């Protein structure tokens, strides 16, 4: 069981090292793909193991908890690792067609696998300081990915991304250090009891708020999201797809983990703030999207509004709401990454991402139009796609609590999401191309076409599948939410293993 | 900037730095020292060479792209961690063996990995910054 | 001693915020460096200090006669300093690249990715 938890982290790093050492060969991208396939298998194995035992945990090099570094996986972690592997494989394939030899020679594939390894590590670790280290690993590799192959615009985006993320890092570090100073432990399972037992609860709330701001910056919630729309539309499309799918979600995951496991002492204060943040995030994100006219910028703002839904699930803290939040998180990653991939292909066909300068895709590339409609409708919450169930659960959870206003904001955001999706549809797909171009998918060489389209079709199928057969996914998310709200099994598994 | 004193001195210094860095690396197991500080010292040696004779000359003296050195360090560290797998230990557990009367361990391999990663990483940065300025 | 460090950390944070609020990218970076040092000092102080002696056990694991500092925060710090150093070096390289691309470091004028007028 020990290696089941460690291998999903180690394999991407091995793939990264290999892909970098062979970066000058033509096939270096295939190493990255091979690593991703292996990661996917290992992630499935991890999930099977978690389904069997509920929670699994291990200690690195057998140093007992709470002193050594813990790796632990509950339902949420295992699902996130699996989704990371899926997106990793999809983008590794897709990226082979987009990322040119120059970027590959600069080590693009190696950095990409490092990023996946860092994200996986963040999902699996059970130690606060180790989480900080994984955040840094994924941050450094995302810096590299952001500037490789980009033009001057990418440098501009990178400046904003780097500076604001560094501030969040410093805050996170400070919070982790103060936590240790106050409680004498960094093991997340151990911290639950230590924080609850601390005599000065006010101090704990202060530390909790530092975590909230640090993770909130990474998750791009309401007053802290400015770096996201400034940078996500500048690098390679493969990079923005994986950023959009995974990076902010690491922040959301960290928020969920910390505010269900550790800082639950003053929920009237912390979760009330989270509730307001969630509502404002939903609204500002979707309003920002309505004002944009660039394909990727609209999608970037939508990430922000969707983050609001996930934080909403956490803020309400009822079993149903957390289940909705977890379900939303899982479905959103697939949908969002797919939309960015569609944007990439549309850019390749039409030559621009400015919606006013392109068009005619429905007529000339109907397959792409379908591939856009599935995730777009899912994002907006149309039945029977995956997003509908996620939104339905969250709205129901807020109505159950008598939070009519929150439910209204959630529904309004869904409506406005449809508005801006319609805008993309009308401009890019429906109207004729202003220059009269007829961009056809057949104009892409066959090899690239397969590489580009197969991951997109697979992701779209997953969205449809979750929508048509939501039962197993809902059951899974329900158990995941129960584990989050009552982490006694998590705590016991982590600490018991150390006591052996 | 070419300075006769610096170039001549650098030749002596670089050898000294490299030998000392190996000493620090190896003594690090039970005493202050180790891969990180050793790597820093070695990187200093090449950095002085770069200041004295130019980055191009330092790159030639290094022979290998510093990024490759860094990644080889990663490979060493990963190998040290994975070595425990076939032997049935926990991830990253120390594996000990004896070669010709000397104790060797995966811990040392990990430390060598750190050493290489630090040398590679720092030199990549220093060379890149020197070249852009 | 901890009080002095706490005050120092506060002063550093104040200077850092002042630097970071300026519109120049390089000054922002220096501010960030000060801020991370302030945080490092705070963590250092949180682990208690023993003056004049390292937080190590004596021969055979013997406890020293005086109160000892907790050495884990110092280990955390070391990690954080190393990581911070790497990040800062990258940010510096990025700054140089930005200066070459734009010819200035005024962040208010870096609007290439987000043009002033909405859309076009």
């Amino acid at each position: 069981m020990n290696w089941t938890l460690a291998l999903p982290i180690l394999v991407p790093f091995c793939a990264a090292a290999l892909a970098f050492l062979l970066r000058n060969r033509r096939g270096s991208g295939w190493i990255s793909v091979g690593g991703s396939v292996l990661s996917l298998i290992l992630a499935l194995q991890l999930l099977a193991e978690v389904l069997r035992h509920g929670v699994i945990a291990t200690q690195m090099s057998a140093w007992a908890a709470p002193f050594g570094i813990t790796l632990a996986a509950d339902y949420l972690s295992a699902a996130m690792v699996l989704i990371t592997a899926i997106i990793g494989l999809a983008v590794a394939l897709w990226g082979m067609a987009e990322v040119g030899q120059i970027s590959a020679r600069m080590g693009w594939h190696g950095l990409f696998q490092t990023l996946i390894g860092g994200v996986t590590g963040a999902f699996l670790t059970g130690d606060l300081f180790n989480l900080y280290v994984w955040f840094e690993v994924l941050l450094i590799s995302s810096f590299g990915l952001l500037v490789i192959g980009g033009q001057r615009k990418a440098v501009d985006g990178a400046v904003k991304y780097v500076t604001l993320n560094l501030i969040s890092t410093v805050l996170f570090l400070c919070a982790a250090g103060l936590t240790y100073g106050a409680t004498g432990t960094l093991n997340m399972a151990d911290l639950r009891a230590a924080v609850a037992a601390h005599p000065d609860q006010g101090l704990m709330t202060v530390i909790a708020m530092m975590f909230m701001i640090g993770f909130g910056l990474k998750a791009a919630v309401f007053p802290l999201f400015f770096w996201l729309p400034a940078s996500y539309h500048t690098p390679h499309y493969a990079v923005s797809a994986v950023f959009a799918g995974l990076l902010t979600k690491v922040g959301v995951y960290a928020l969920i983990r910390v505010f269900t496991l550790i800082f639950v002492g003053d929920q009237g204060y912390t979760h009330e703030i989270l509730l307001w943040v969630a509502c404002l995030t939903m609204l500002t994100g979707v309003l920002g999207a309505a004002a944009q006219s660039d394909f990727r910028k609209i999608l970037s703002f939508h990430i922000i509004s969707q983050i609001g839904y996930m934080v909403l699930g956490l803020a309400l803290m009822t079993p149903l709401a957390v289940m909705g939040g977890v379900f939303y998180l899982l479905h959103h990653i697939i949908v969002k990454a797919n939309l960015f991939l569609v944007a990439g292909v549309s850019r390749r066909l039409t030559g621009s991402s400015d919606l006013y300068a392109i068009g005619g895709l429905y007529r000339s590339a109907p397959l792409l139009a379908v591939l856009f409609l599935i995730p777009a409708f899912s994002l907006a919450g149309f039945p029977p796609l995956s997003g509908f169930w996620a939104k339905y659960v969250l709205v129901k959870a807020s109505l159950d609590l008598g939070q009519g206003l929150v439910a209204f904001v959630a529904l309004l955001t869904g409506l406005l999401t449809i508005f801006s999706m319609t805008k993309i549809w009308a401009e890019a797909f429906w109207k004729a191309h202003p220059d009269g171009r007829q961009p056809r998918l057949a104009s892409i060489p066959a090899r690239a076409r397969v590489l580009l389209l197969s991951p997109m079709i697979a992701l779209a199928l997953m969205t449809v599948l979750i929508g048509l057969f939501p039962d197993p996914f809902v059951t899974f998310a329900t158990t995941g939410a129960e584990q989050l709200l009552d982490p006694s099994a998590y705590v016991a598994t982590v600490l018991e293993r150390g006591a052996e | 900037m070419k300075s006769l004193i610096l170039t001549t001195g650098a030749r002596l210094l670089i050898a000294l730095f490299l030998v000392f860095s190996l000493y620090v690396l190896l003594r690090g197991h039970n005493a202050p020292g180790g891969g990180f500080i050793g790597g820093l010292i070695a990187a200093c040696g090449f950095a002085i060479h770069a200041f004295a004779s130019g980055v191009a000359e330092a790159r030639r003296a290094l022979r290998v792209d510093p990024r490759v050195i860094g990644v080889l360090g990663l490979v060493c560290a990963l190998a040290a961690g994975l070595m425990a797998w076939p032997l049935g230990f926990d991830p990253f557990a120390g594996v000990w063996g004896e070669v010709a009367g000397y104790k060797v361990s995966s811990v040392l391999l990990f430390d060598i990995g750190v050493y290489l990663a630090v040398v590679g990483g720092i030199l990549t940065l220093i060379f890149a910054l020197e070249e852009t300025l | 001693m901890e009080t002095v460090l706490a005050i120092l950390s506060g002063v550093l944070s104040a200077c850092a915020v002042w630097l970071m609020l300026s519109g120049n990218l390089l000054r922002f970076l220096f501010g960030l460096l000060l801020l991370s040092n302030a945080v490092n000092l705070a963590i250092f102080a949180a682990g208690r200090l023993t003056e004049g002696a390292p937080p190590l056990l004596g021969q055979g694991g013997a406890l020293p006669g005086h109160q000892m500092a907790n050495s884990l925060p110092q280990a955390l710090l070391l990690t954080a300093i190393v990581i911070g150093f790497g990040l800062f070096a990258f940010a510096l390289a990025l700054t140089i690249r930005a200066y070459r691309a734009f010819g200035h470091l005024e962040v208010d004028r870096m609007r290439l990715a987000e043009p002033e007028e909405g859309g076009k």
Side-chain angles (χ1 to χ4, degrees), chain A residues 357-443:
Chain A
I358 64 176
L361 283 171
Y362 173 68
R363 192 169 288 261
S364 55
L367 178 60
L368 188 66
V370 173
L371 284 176
F372 170 74
L373 277 185
I374 291 173
F377 277 173
S378 177
L379 195 72
F382 271 44
L385 294 161
S386 56
F388 167 72
W389 301 107
K391 281 206 172 65
Y392 171 77
V393 169
L394 281 172
V395 170
K396 182 164 184 319
S398 33
L399 284 178
D400 283 354
L401 282 176
Q403 300 272 15
L405 182 67
V406 175
F408 173 71
V409 170
L411 286 174
L412 181 70
T413 306
L415 197 69
L416 288 169
T417 310
I418 301 175
F419 165 72
S420 45
M421 284 302 153
T422 324
K423 186 170 172 182
I424 297 182
W425 174 255
E427 296 289 344
F429 290 88
W430 197 249
K431 76 160 197 254
H433 197 287
D435 306 340
R437 266 166 72 170
Q438 295 255 326
R440 282 179 199 291
L441 281 173
S443 64

Side-chain angles (χ1 to χ4, degrees), chain A residues 159-228:
Chain A
V159 165
K160 289 153 192 171
Y161 177 88
V162 167
T163 47
L164 284 172
N165 272 290
L166 284 179
I167 294 181
S168 122
T169 299
V170 170
L171 269 173
F172 178 17
L173 174 66
C174 189
L178 292 181
T179 310
Y180 184 78
T183 61
T185 179
L186 282 167
N187 185 300
M188 292 202 249
D190 200 28
L191 268 173
R192 183 177 172 82
V195 165
H198 196 272
D200 191 349
Q201 283 302 308
L203 190 64
M204 291 298 115
T205 308
V206 171
I207 294 177
M209 290 311 293
M210 289 181 77
F211 277 115
M212 194 190 288
I213 297 172
F215 293 148
L217 237 167
K218 299 246 186 249
V221 296
F222 164 60
L224 311 164
F225 63 80
F226 300 102
W227 56 272
L228 192 148

